[in-house]
Amino acid sequence: MKVRVFALNAGLLLVGGIVVLPFFWMILSAFKSNSEILSFDQSFLPREWTLENFVSIQTKLDFFRLFFNSVLLSVTITALSVYTSLVGGFVFAKYTFRGRGALFAVILSTMMITWAVVIIPRYTIFRSIGLTDSYASIIIPAVISAFGIFMMRQSMDSIPDEILEAARIDGASEWFIFHRIVAPLSVNAISALSIFQFLWVWEDYLWPYLMISSEEKQVLAVGLTTFRGQYGTDYGGLFAATTLAIVPVLVVYILFQRRFIAGAASAALKG
Amino acid sequence: MPIAGVNVTYDPNTLVNDGKPIELDWWAWTNVEQFQAIADAYSEIHPNVVINVVNQPWEDYWTKLPLELQSGGGPALFNVHNSQHENLIANMEPYDIDPADLEADYAGAASHLIDGETHYIDLGLMSGAIYYNTDMWEAAGLTDADIPTTWDEFREVAKALTIRDGDQLRQAGFNFNSGGHTMQAGLAYQLGQNLFEADGSTPAIDNEANLEVIQRFVDIYADGSGDPDFGAAGTDSFGQGLSAMTYAWGWFSGTLKNDYPDLNWSAFQTPVPEAGETPYALDRYNGESTFGINANASDAEKEVAQDFLRYFLTDAESMKELSLIFSVFPAYKPIADDPVFAENPALAAFGEIDRYIWPGPIPATFETTTATMWEEILFNGVAPEEALAAAQATIEKDLSGKDFVSSEGLYAFYSGN
């Protein structure tokens, strides 16, 4: 038994190592010169450590402005979409009304439509109502998350209806029940969804790029692509900027990680 | 202030937009600082005008810009790449400059005429050269006198620059891995073979000239002077100091400067088939284009854009700087003889500028299909004759239904196939 456990752990460690290796390779490469990054004779550790890539990203990219823009959008959208998902999940999990199943199916079906199909009509709509080059154009489409509603409904299904009934008998309003009972009991799912949502917004590229024209409003994911030019890529600058760009994602993950796995698991297992 | 320019002229002593404040956006994907400096210099003459150069990522620029233009929006000014001609042309305002003046001042301007109107021209012309590692050159006992002018001489130089350790290739004399198709599209011209038949639409790939070009480079590898497995890309292998010579276009000098600053290199003109004979053409070229003006812009924006265009096209110093930064031979004739271009090895390697052909904004299938053809030859052992026939069939199929017409007919020395 011990041998099997050891083998399993060793296997998982190996797979984990393979998965995170490119990540560490990128971080270490951020300290290499471009010629060393492109060298035929590669080494994992930099032969000559340099901070030049980090020093120059602000002049090449206005990194901190883009970073702030991305943080602002990611936090705002995450907060709003988690809240609307909680509301949607609560309604579908705890209320019975005509067409509930059909409506939920419609919401789920929106997850099946590929991005490429909707992007041009959506672009045309936002342009025609004059929302280009505004953060509203980024926030509005992301406020309602079909995945979030699905996840919250799955999570709230496990909350006994008796608790809600008892609260109602005690005179609690639906508003109170939602905010003071259901939401706190959904903290695992909230944590998981927050991580997912933050990550999606943080890394979203094409929609912000299409919508935002002003450089001062642009997001970091778009800024990073400017390191890739017509005839070549500034890998050192790209790796340095990307290394810094993953810090907020790590912070969010560390903040929510204790609840994350439980939340993701509960959403996945409840039917 | 003095009037600038030769045939295309710019008078800075006039008001634009009646002196009223106006702001324009100008989208670019590279060299934003240089473009902004030109815009700022213009604003010094016309303080009521502000032009903001907005940096855009290269790849998705070609998604966003057409979407913006087709929806009636977009920046007043935008940089153009001729490979995206079809995507943009319907929304581009014609230049308000006499085409004859443009042609008099800018090489190749006539090739951009559409129904008597010009929407963009080339600010510089880019083509191929042979880049060589000067340290390896010296170590092999070669001097400037050994710079080859013919392909036969080149083959011998490649042998001299090759270093082997038993069967192991240590230093390739010549490496064109991943770049065979780039040479393919240009060097058949040296043998008098156009890329299209006389109708301008039928591709001309499967022919004796292309076969000769392929065989020439296959033979160099067969000599042992290179190997398909010696590095994925000849340019990378050259940069890493593993290959002594490679073929690349002007952009490569920027790559070398940025990525391999310690490498000692120079460049020489692409050899020709016969010593002392000017071939039909030296190579294919492509241009770095001037900016486009948005047809959807307001009348005031267009007026300012047209005025700025004249300023831009007559600003010799900026044209010089842009040509050097882009590593392109300047299309602006008044600066073509400036000694500064002779100091840049990649630009000095150009031959007679009139002896390069622009086939027009050719569909991407030419490059992708001939790239596959080279892989078939080098890695799958397909005979060059068969590979050429397959490439011809693929390109014909890809072009069917498209109304592309080659610009080869505009070449000054054009002769139909």
Side-chain angles (χ1 to χ4, degrees):
Chain A
M1 190 65 181
K2 280 184 178 177
V3 174
R4 285 178 63 189
V5 170
F6 177 78
L8 181 64
N9 286 338
L12 288 173
L13 197 64
L14 180 67
V15 172
I18 292 170
V19 169
V20 299
L21 188 66
F23 175 73
F24 282 113
W25 184 85
M26 180 196 74
I27 292 174
L28 289 168
S29 294
F31 295 94
K32 298 176 180 175
S33 65
N34 268 322
S35 53
E36 194 177 334
I37 292 168
L38 293 165
S39 168
F40 188 71
D41 184 19
Q42 285 287 321
S43 64
F44 191 62
L45 291 173
R47 289 196 184 87
E48 288 183 29
W49 293 78
T50 176
L51 289 172
E52 180 57 31
N53 295 324
F54 289 93
V55 171
S56 61
I57 54 172
Q58 180 59 23
T59 52
K60 287 177 181 171
L61 191 61
D62 197 2
F63 179 86
F64 290 106
R65 178 194 285 271
L66 301 185
F67 187 89
F68 172 78
N69 293 344
S70 283
V71 169
L72 179 71
L73 275 174
S74 299
V75 169
T76 305
I77 291 172
T78 300
L80 289 172
S81 70
V82 166
Y83 186 77
T84 58
S85 297
L86 272 170
V87 173
F90 180 56
V91 168
F92 282 110
K94 299 301 175 190
Y95 290 90
T96 307
F97 52 90
R98 186 188 295 263
R100 183 179 74 159
L103 186 58
F104 190 63
V106 168
I107 290 173
L108 287 188
S109 69
T110 62
M111 293 164 60
M112 319 298 174
I113 302 170
T114 59
W115 177 238
V117 173
V118 298
I119 195 163
I120 292 179
R122 185 187 279 186
Y123 173 87
T124 308
I125 291 168
F126 276 80
R127 171 147 201 90
S128 64
I129 58 178
L131 281 181
T132 52
D133 207 26
S134 70
Y135 284 158
S137 65
I138 313 295
I139 293 169
I140 290 170
V143 161
I144 307 292
S145 162
F147 174 78
I149 291 171
F150 168 76
M151 194 172 178
M152 288 304 169
R153 181 196 149 150
Q154 301 298 90
S155 168
M156 290 175 188
D157 268 347
S158 65
I159 299 173
D161 290 342
E162 288 77 6
I163 296 176
L164 277 61
E165 287 304 320
R168 288 184 182 117
I169 291 167
D170 287 345
S173 66
E174 296 303 305
W175 181 262
F176 183 93
I177 290 170
F178 173 66
H179 285 99
R180 295 297 184 88
I181 299 173
V182 175
L185 288 172
S186 304
V187 69
N188 288 346
I190 291 171
S191 299
L193 183 60
S194 297
I195 290 175
F196 286 140
Q197 192 65 54
F198 187 91
L199 187 60
W200 290 332
V201 181
W202 187 260
E203 69 183 12
D204 191 13
Y205 162 70
L206 189 56
W207 183 248
Y209 173 59
L210 291 178
M211 281 293 106
I212 304 294
S213 295
S214 312
E215 280 184 294
E216 65 270 18
K217 291 181 186 171
Q218 201 48 276
V219 299
L220 188 56
V222 175
L224 292 178
T225 62
T226 57
F227 285 102
R228 289 166 53 205
Q230 180 183 0
Y231 296 121
T233 300
D234 176 5
Y235 287 106
L238 179 62
F239 291 157
T242 307
T243 298
L244 294 179
I246 59 176
V247 170
V249 178
L250 287 177
V251 169
V252 168
Y253 183 76
I254 289 165
L255 285 176
F256 291 104
Q257 65 169 335
R258 280 198 307 156
R259 303 279 186 179
F260 170 66
I261 296 171
S266 68
L269 292 175
K270 298 296 177 185
Chain B
M1 295 175 74
I3 291 174
V6 182
N7 294 286
V8 179
T9 56
Y10 180 68
D11 182 358
N13 308 300
T14 54
L15 278 180
V16 284
N17 198 37
D18 296 328
K20 291 180 287 189
I22 187 166
E23 194 165 339
L24 273 62
D25 276 350
W26 176 6
W27 286 7
W29 64 82
T30 188
N31 298 326
V32 170
E33 282 176 29
Q34 286 75 31
F35 290 125
Q36 187 64 64
I38 297 169
D40 290 345
Y42 177 81
S43 294
E44 280 184 24
I45 302 170
H46 302 287
N48 60 315
V49 180
V50 174
I51 300 176
N52 303 309
V53 183
V54 183
N55 193 14
Q56 302 284 346
W58 158 254
E59 285 184 13
D60 293 296
Y61 180 69
W62 306 113
T63 303
K64 182 172 181 172
L65 182 61
L67 269 174
E68 286 274 347
L69 295 177
Q70 286 155 23
S71 349
L77 306 168
F78 49 84
N79 275 10
V80 173
H81 193 272
N82 56 39
S83 64
Q84 299 293 325
H85 175 95
E86 293 299 329
N87 249 343
L88 306 176
I89 194 68
N91 293 291
M92 292 174 75
E93 183 77 3
Y95 281 6
D96 188 17
I97 299 175
D98 186 340
D101 291 341
L102 271 176
E103 175 61 15
D105 281 352
Y106 276 86
S111 63
H112 293 281
L113 269 178
I114 300 172
D115 298 330
E117 294 181 324
T118 307
H119 302 78
Y120 65 92
I121 58 171
D122 303 314
L123 67 84
L125 313 177
M126 191 185 289
S127 188
I130 303 291
Y131 289 74
Y132 68 103
N133 183 313
T134 50
D135 292 335
M136 293 177 181
W137 195 265
E138 198 178 320
L142 299 170
T143 67
D144 283 355
D146 297 303
I147 287 176
T149 56
T150 68
W151 288 112
D152 287 339
E153 291 170 4
F154 179 82
R155 189 169 166 177
E156 295 307 313
V157 168
K159 285 180 195 170
L161 287 164
T162 302
I163 297 175
R164 287 190 165 272
D165 184 2
D167 289 340
Q168 193 75 28
L169 185 61
R170 295 289 179 206
Q171 176 180 302
F174 181 52
N175 191 330
F176 63 89
N177 292 346
S178 299
H181 62 288
T182 312
M183 296 188 293
Q184 187 71 47
L187 297 184
Y189 283 129
Q190 293 190 341
L191 300 163
Q193 175 64 55
N194 289 311
L195 208 50
F196 291 86
E197 302 292 356
D199 64 4
S201 300
T202 308
I205 304 300
D206 186 11
N207 49 52
E208 284 300 318
N210 273 307
L211 187 60
E212 190 176 327
V213 171
I214 292 171
Q215 201 58 54
R216 175 192 301 151
F217 296 112
V218 168
D219 287 348
I220 289 173
Y221 274 9
D223 283 341
S225 302
D227 190 293
D229 297 321
F230 197 68
T235 46
D236 289 346
S237 180
F238 181 84
Q240 291 152 11
L242 297 170
S243 296
M245 295 191 291
T246 194
Y247 172 94
W249 278 34
W251 59 266
F252 189 49
S253 64
T255 302
L256 288 172
K257 189 177 170 189
N258 185 57
D259 294 345
Y260 308 104
D262 299 328
L263 193 84
N264 295 316
W265 62 274
S266 189
F268 57 81
Q269 185 186 323
T270 310
V272 297
E274 300 292 337
E277 285 186 23
T278 303
Y280 169 60
L282 292 168
D283 203 339
R284 175 177 66 114
Y285 83 79
N286 200 16
E288 289 292 349
S289 305
T290 54
F291 59 76
I293 298 173
N294 189 344
N296 305 315
S298 68
D299 288 344
E301 287 176 328
K302 284 182 193 172
E303 181 209 324
V304 175
Q306 295 284 3
D307 190 73
F308 177 63
L309 172 71
R310 279 186 173 272
Y311 172 81
F312 180 75
L313 293 177
T314 54
D315 182 359
E317 280 305 310
S318 293
M319 276 298 155
K320 198 158 63 177
E321 189 182 2
L322 287 174
S323 298
L324 290 169
I325 288 169
F326 277 110
S327 286
V328 291
F329 192 86
Y332 192 40
K333 294 174 186 174
I335 61 170
D337 294 328
D338 194 298
V340 73
F341 297 116
E343 294 165 12
N344 180 315
L347 295 183
F350 268 95
E352 189 183 344
I353 192 65
D354 291 341
R355 283 288 180 175
Y356 290 80
I357 297 181
W358 185 52
I362 53 174
T365 182
F366 274 88
E367 293 229 342
T368 54
T369 304
T370 49
T372 304
M373 178 189 77
W374 269 103
E375 287 177 8
E376 291 283 78
I377 293 169
L378 293 179
F379 298 109
N380 296 330
V382 175
E385 295 86 345
E386 285 177 39
L388 273 173
Q392 174 82 31
T394 302
I395 292 172
E396 278 183 14
K397 184 181 163 198
D398 289 347
L399 285 188
S400 64
K402 287 192 166 65
D403 54 2
F404 174 78
V405 178
S406 160
S407 299
E408 287 170 332
L410 298 170
Y411 175 53
F413 308 97
Y414 179 75
S415 64
N417 286 324

